[in-house]
Amino acid sequence: MSEPQPSASSQVPLLWQPDALLGESFDQAKLGPATLVRHVPAGARPEPRAVVLHVHGYNDYFHQAHLAHAFDRAGHAFYAVDLRAAGRSLRESQVPHFVGDLREQAADIDEAARAVRELHPGLPLVVHAHSTGGLTAAWWAHARRNTLPDGSYRGPDLLVLNSPFLDLPGTLFERTVGTVLLRIAAPASPHRVITSGPSVYATHLLAANGGRWEFDTRFKKPGGQPTLALWMRAVRRVQWHLWVRGFRIPVPVLVARSDASGPDRHDNPRLDEQDTVLDVEQIARRSRSLGADVTQLVVPGAVHDLSLSADGPRTEYLGKLFAWLEERL
């Protein structure tokens, strides 16, 4: 399959306005079909050591203000992108998260990376990406492995993948024969529902249900976001490329995950200490095909988004992430 192509450089200035979802110390600006969010720390700050771009996953958007504050305390400028049809970027006519080709979302990452590099010229770019965003960001980094004819490099300088969606949980039949059938049938029925149902994971995280975190349930739905045929085909095409051919990401990659997976059910007593969305062993296996310099970080007791884990695992994740950045920067 063809790889994402570089976006054309734009001279249109970003029009920043206060971010209504996170409020004080956050701004947002439209970036084509996507939305760029920035953290604006109060008071004087030393020159940042790097600029971080966060990429969310499926049934998700950027809401982790504490993550931005943590990167700020570690000395890094922080930005996040809400991809097209997600979160702040969702339009009334759109099906949430629905794209027929991950090159569309890769183009959003490309444009966001270009924008933050222009805002912070000369600083290393760290892309921090979660779940499906981790898959798309890894593919984008693979596609950006070479310099452009003008000698510029458009990929990340460091890539952090937080529980990336590198393979489809399920049986071997579902992941092979099922994928072939999906590839044939999806164009004819692009909106056919492949899976649906509540997200016990999101339900458990929400403060209103006794969890730790506040988020807008229009954009991260406890009721779940159905997966549609053409979207799933787009995901499987990129995962298949990783499985069969591998990626050649030219920069250091940190792949972080929980130490255990479990069922996404209310009767799971370990909902607060397992990845109940993806298979962590699959993440471990597939991450070996990302590039030549891949470090695996296993965080005991973490949930699917390690940055939303309980205090202990979350502190361990961020501490080891920042130590890795210090070493590699």
Side-chain angles (χ1 to χ4, degrees):
M1 62 184 297
S2 60
E3 297 173 354
Q5 297 303 307
S7 59
S9 180
S10 172
Q11 302 302 318
V12 178
L14 294 173
L15 300 177
W16 295 101
Q17 57 184 355
D19 182 59
L21 294 179
L22 291 177
E24 186 178 357
S25 83
F26 289 91
D27 292 339
Q28 63 163 274
K30 294 305 177 186
L31 196 67
T35 307
L36 192 63
V37 181
R38 70 177 177 183
H39 177 234
V40 186
R45 287 289 193 277
E47 180 68 18
R49 300 195 58 229
V51 56
V52 175
L53 176 64
H54 172 79
V55 185
H56 63 81
Y58 191 75
N59 191 28
D60 210 350
Y61 72 107
F62 174 63
H63 58 89
Q64 301 92 328
H66 67 283
L67 187 63
H69 295 308
F71 274 105
D72 173 54
R73 289 191 297 270
H76 308 298
F78 183 90
Y79 294 77
V81 59
D82 276 9
L83 303 170
R84 64 186 66 196
R88 297 163 180 84
S89 305
L90 182 65
R91 309 291 186 261
E92 288 187 9
S93 61
Q94 293 175 323
V95 177
H97 297 273
F98 182 74
V99 293
D101 194 319
L102 291 192
R103 284 177 294 188
E104 298 175 59
Q105 293 184 331
D108 296 340
I109 298 174
D110 203 54
E111 185 68 5
R114 179 203 58 77
V116 300
R117 275 207 158 109
E118 288 184 358
L119 291 165
H120 299 272
L123 287 186
L125 172 64
V126 179
V127 172
H128 177 272
H130 171 59
S131 199
T132 308
L135 173 68
T136 308
W139 187 41
W140 166 78
H142 162 75
R144 296 290 167 272
R145 61 191 178 274
N146 299 318
T147 56
L148 296 177
D150 63 3
S152 63
Y153 172 66
R154 297 285 291 275
D157 295 292
L158 295 174
L159 180 62
V160 179
L161 303 179
N162 169 357
S163 301
F165 185 20
L166 302 182
D167 203 349
L168 181 69
T171 66
L172 182 62
F173 179 87
E174 291 169 330
R175 292 186 290 115
T176 53
V177 176
T179 295
V180 173
L181 295 175
L182 181 68
R183 187 181 303 164
I184 297 169
S189 301
H191 291 88
R192 175 187 289 273
V193 175
I194 302 300
T195 61
S196 65
S199 171
V200 177
Y201 163 70
T203 300
H204 181 76
L205 292 175
L206 187 61
N209 297 325
R212 296 179 180 83
W213 308 106
E214 299 280 1
F215 50 84
D216 193 318
T217 56
R218 294 174 299 168
F219 305 137
K220 187 179 182 72
K221 301 177 181 178
Q225 178 63 43
T227 58
L228 305 183
L230 197 63
W231 178 87
M232 181 58 75
R233 187 186 78 151
V235 168
R236 290 302 285 154
R237 289 177 71 190
V238 177
Q239 291 175 339
W240 194 272
H241 184 107
L242 176 64
W243 183 9
V244 174
R245 302 179 60 186
F247 291 172
R248 298 189 299 281
I249 298 174
V251 300
V253 182
L254 178 68
V255 179
R257 59 180 174 87
S258 179
D259 65 327
S261 293
D264 193 42
R265 298 198 309 261
H266 289 289
D267 62 354
N268 178 4
R270 300 187 63 196
L271 274 175
D272 203 36
E273 55 189 48
Q274 291 181 329
D275 188 329
T276 59
V277 177
L278 296 181
D279 183 334
V280 297
E281 295 304 320
Q282 284 183 335
I283 296 173
R285 286 195 301 272
R286 296 290 176 243
S287 64
R288 302 183 190 120
S289 301
L290 291 170
D293 187 350
V294 178
T295 301
Q296 298 206 34
L297 170 59
V298 180
V299 182
V303 297
H304 178 52
D305 183 343
L306 283 80
S307 73
L308 298 180
S309 298
D311 292 350
R314 185 174 73 255
T315 299
E316 179 177 350
Y317 169 58
L318 294 175
K320 291 185 175 179
L321 163 58
F322 295 142
W324 184 82
L325 291 179
E326 285 293 316
E327 174 189 344
R328 296 309 182 103
L329 286 172

